[in-house]
């Protein structure tokens, strides 16, 4: 076997190894899954497209949780019966970009015909109509829910 | 200004198939390279060996299509490539040592790889939802500790190469510590997801340093004592380091409190220092690490030096597979397989192998980020971290960054128990990543462990 063939095979292994790694990195770049953070323009124009996985649920009364004040004003999140988690962690349904919000700050959930908000031991507290809550509190029409500088409301 | 949107996830199974073919191709080229260099001809069994490997991994790929369609697409190709390269290197060392078919390591490694793939497929098929493992929290703990201490049972445990980590039943030897690794990761994840609020929130702050409550220190002390027991009774430095590091890392991930890491490092350094003072085998390892070229160290073991010289001989591009002399190092096919690759593939090849591990661990951690339940998060983090820590301990040991401890490099090293347990880790990670990437159904199914009434913290 000629020295040339041996060297070619030997270098081929190295080249292919690195090609393999780069193709994996290429796959990963186009395969970021899960929640995606969309950077919006500073004008506050809402650029989130309606999503297929966000069903409206008219029979439950409320169907969306809307941000009515704060940096993310105009953002809405579909209410899910399993609960909506609010906070700064990426696992949350609504990720709050707010220095006064905790990682897992509060949860909005459905229980026995009405929606409740529950504080998850946040540092700065969750306020409902201006009062800091320490137990699950029912949310009704026009109830203002405040976390840090973000104010949220339930919408139909 | 940020906001969140959902987008349609893709299964990417076809990409996985392509990458699998690529990985098998690289393995075959490596095999060809060994055959050309050693025998001067194309190995006659390259087609049969290649089709065995291809058959097994494609079968596993089909199981994924069937039962975990949204599983991560790059994990299986990475692991296939690592496993295949390991078999090629072991085969190459078999040739160099002149082992005949009966005592060769490579066929056995290939058999164990097949068995590992079958078991991983069974895990994928049988375990439809990783959250079911939470039911077995304390079963996993007891089983894990039993596995960990099984080698100490007289007549069952065997002492090999100074460490008592093997059991021998009916002619088969097995390292139960590898299984214990998975069982204890399951236990840690389930335990920490229950108690993390108490561990994270309760406690006082002393001089700006948040201290946990004394009673919350219990589990970390138990983990510390059992890892010390492994160190003292089984003389296994690597396993002891792996378990304690794993527990501390998972504790930190669960609570986000750096104080746990500080406490863990202090406990570990204290324990390690006492072990250094008390036990000869620990002191010996440290002396080899500090000065492997001293006449006293060389008189006892030249293993570390052999490995270093081998990697030096490989240089940047390596000698080429089959053209170096990695067989000079004792245990070149298990503990010292990394220097063997360093010698024959060079720094460039070794970096590629480390990069494959990096990508594997990254996929594990990405799965942990993407999954929506706390138990899955901790389990995926723990499994990925255990692989990362093991690689650090192995590569750090053979490159003299830390004292050498006897651990196998996942997927590469010769050894059935290690291969099997690592394939199970792959199956668990794929299962969790399937869960993480699957689009949420409109009516989310109730979690297996239902969150208690409105008064309790949510299990997220």
């Amino acid at each position: 076997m000629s020295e040339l063939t041996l060297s070619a095979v030997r270098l081929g292994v190295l080249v292919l190894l690195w090609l393999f790694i780069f193709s994996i990195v290429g796959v990963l770049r186009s395969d970021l899954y899960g929640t995606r953070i969309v950077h919006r323009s500073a004008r506050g124009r809402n650029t989130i497209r309606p999503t297929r996985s966000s069903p409206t649920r008219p029979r439950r009364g409320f169907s969306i949780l809307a941000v009515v004040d704060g940096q993310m004003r105009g953002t809405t999140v579909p209410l899910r019966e399993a609960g909506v988690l609010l906070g700064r962690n990426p696992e949350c349904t609504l990720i709050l970009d707010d220095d006064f919000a905790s990682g897992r700050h509060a949860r909005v959930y459905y229980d026995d015909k009405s929606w409740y908000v529950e504080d998850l031991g946040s540092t700065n507290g969750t306020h409902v109509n201006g009062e800091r809550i320490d137990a699950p509190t029912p949310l009704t029409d026009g109830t203002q829910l405040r976390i840090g500088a973000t104010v949220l409301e339930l919408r139909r | 200004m940020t906001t969140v949107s959902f987008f349609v996830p893709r299964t990417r199974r076809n990409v996985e198939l392509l990458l699998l073919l690529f990985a098998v191709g690289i393995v075959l080229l490596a095999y060809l390279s060994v055959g050309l260099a050693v025998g001067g001809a194309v190995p006659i069994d390259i087609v049969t060996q290649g089709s065995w490997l291809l058959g097994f991994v494609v079968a596993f790929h089909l199981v994924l299509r069937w039962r975990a369609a949204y599983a991560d697409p790059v994990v299986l190709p990475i692991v296939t490539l690592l496993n295949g390269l390991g078999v090629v290197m072991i085969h190459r060392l078999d040739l160099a040592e002149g082992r005949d078919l009966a005592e060769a390591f490579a066929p056995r490694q290939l058999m164990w790889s097949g068995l590992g793939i079958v078991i991983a497929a069974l895990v994928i098929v049988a375990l439809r939802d990783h959250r079911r493992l939470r039911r077995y929290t304390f079963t996993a703990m007891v089983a894990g500790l039993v596995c960990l201490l099984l080698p100490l049972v007289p007549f069952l445990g065997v002492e090999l190469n100074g460490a008592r980590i093997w059991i021998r039943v009916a002619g088969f030897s097995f390292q139960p510590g590898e299984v214990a690794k998975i069982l204890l990761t399951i236990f840690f994840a389930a335990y920490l997801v229950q108690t993390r609020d108490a561990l994270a929130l309760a406690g006082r702050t002393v001089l700006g340093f948040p201290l946990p409550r004394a009673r919350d220190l219990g589990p970390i002390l138990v983990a510390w004592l059992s890892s010390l027991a492994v160190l003292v009774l089984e003389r296994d430095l690597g396993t002891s380091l792996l378990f304690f590091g794993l527990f501390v890392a998972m504790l930190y991930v669960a609570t986000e409190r750096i104080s746990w890491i500080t406490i863990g490092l202090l406990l570990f350094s204290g324990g390690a220092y006492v072990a250094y003072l008390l036990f000869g085998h620990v002191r010996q390892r440290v002396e080899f690490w500090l000065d492997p070229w001293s006449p006293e160290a060389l008189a006892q073991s030249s293993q570390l030096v052999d490995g270093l010289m081998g990697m030096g001989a490989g240089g940047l591009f390596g000698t080429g597979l089959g053209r170096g002399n990695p067989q000079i190092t004792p245990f070149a096919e298990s503990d010292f397989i990394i220097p063997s690759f360093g010698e024959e593939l060079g720094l460039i090849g070794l970096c590629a192998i480390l990069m494959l591990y990096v990508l594997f661990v990254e996929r594990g951690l990405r799965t942990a980020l993407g999954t929506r339940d706390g138990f899955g998060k901790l389990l995926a983090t723990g499994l990925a971290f255990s692989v990362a820590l093991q690689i650090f301990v192995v590569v750090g040991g053979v490159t003299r960054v830390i004292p050498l401890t006897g651990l196998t490099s996942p997927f590469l090293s010769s050894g059935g128990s290690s291969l099997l347990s690592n394939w199970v880790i792959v199956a668990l990670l794929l299962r969790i990543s399937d869960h993480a990437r699957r689009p949420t159904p409109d009516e989310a199914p109730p979690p297996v462990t239902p969150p208690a009434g409105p008064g309790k913290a949510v299990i997220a």
Side-chain angles (χ1 to χ4, degrees), chain B residues 284-314 325-332 335-336 338-340 342-343 395-404:
Chain B
Q284 193 185 31
R285 292 288 171 103
V286 174
E287 275 157 18
F288 287 178
W289 168 54
L290 289 176
D291 192 2
W293 276 280
S294 69
E296 303 85 60
L298 279 177
Q300 294 178 66
S301 158
S302 63
Q303 192 185 24
L304 188 55
V305 173
D306 289 341
L308 289 171
M309 296 302 266
M311 283 190 280
N325 290 300
Q327 73 278 6
I328 292 174
T329 317
F331 297 104
D335 290 5
F336 272 70
I338 290 284
S340 304
E343 179 171 351
V395 178
V398 298
T399 52
R400 263 185 81 218
V401 174
I402 56 171
L404 180 68

Side-chain angles (χ1 to χ4, degrees), chain B residues 56-78:
Chain B
F56 270 109
V57 293
V58 168
F60 190 50
H61 163 80
L62 291 178
V63 169
L64 283 184
R65 273 188 195 263
W66 174 40
R67 274 297 168 85
Y70 285 92
D72 197 286
V74 304
V75 167
L76 183 59
I78 292 175

Side-chain angles (χ1 to χ4, degrees), chain A residues 3 32-33 109 118 136, chain B residues 7 10 323 366 437 454 456:
Chain A
E3 191 64 23
L32 294 170
Y33 57 80
Y109 62 95
E118 175 188 39
Chain B
F7 73 109
R10 291 178 290 171
R323 307 182 80 196
R366 184 67 189 82
R437 302 178 70 223
K456 231 183 137 196

Side-chain angles (χ1 to χ4, degrees), chain A residues 31-38 51 53 77 80 85 87-95, chain B residues 2-9 366-372 377 436-440:
Chain A
D31 192 44
L32 294 170
Y33 57 80
T35 49
R36 182 170 52 170
I37 308 291
V38 180
T51 54
S53 59
V77 180
R80 286 159 195 269
L85 191 61
R88 297 209 298 178
N89 280 359
E91 76 206 54
C92 295
T93 322
L94 181 65
I95 301 170
Chain B
T2 52
T3 177
V4 175
S5 69
F6 305 89
F7 73 109
V8 185
R366 184 67 189 82
T367 297
L369 280 179
T371 193
R372 286 172 290 267
K377 267 182 202 303
R437 302 178 70 223
R438 196 173 279 278
T440 42

Side-chain angles (χ1 to χ4, degrees), chain A residues 74-89:
Chain A
T75 308
T76 59
V77 180
L79 284 172
R80 286 159 195 269
E81 251 178 72
V84 174
L85 191 61
L86 311 170
R88 297 209 298 178
N89 280 359

Side-chain angles (χ1 to χ4, degrees), chain A residues 54-71:
Chain A
S54 55
T56 53
R57 208 186 302 282
R59 62 199 163 89
R60 302 265 178 252
F62 298 109
S63 61
I64 52 173
L65 181 67
V67 180
V68 293
D69 199 13
Q71 277 203 322

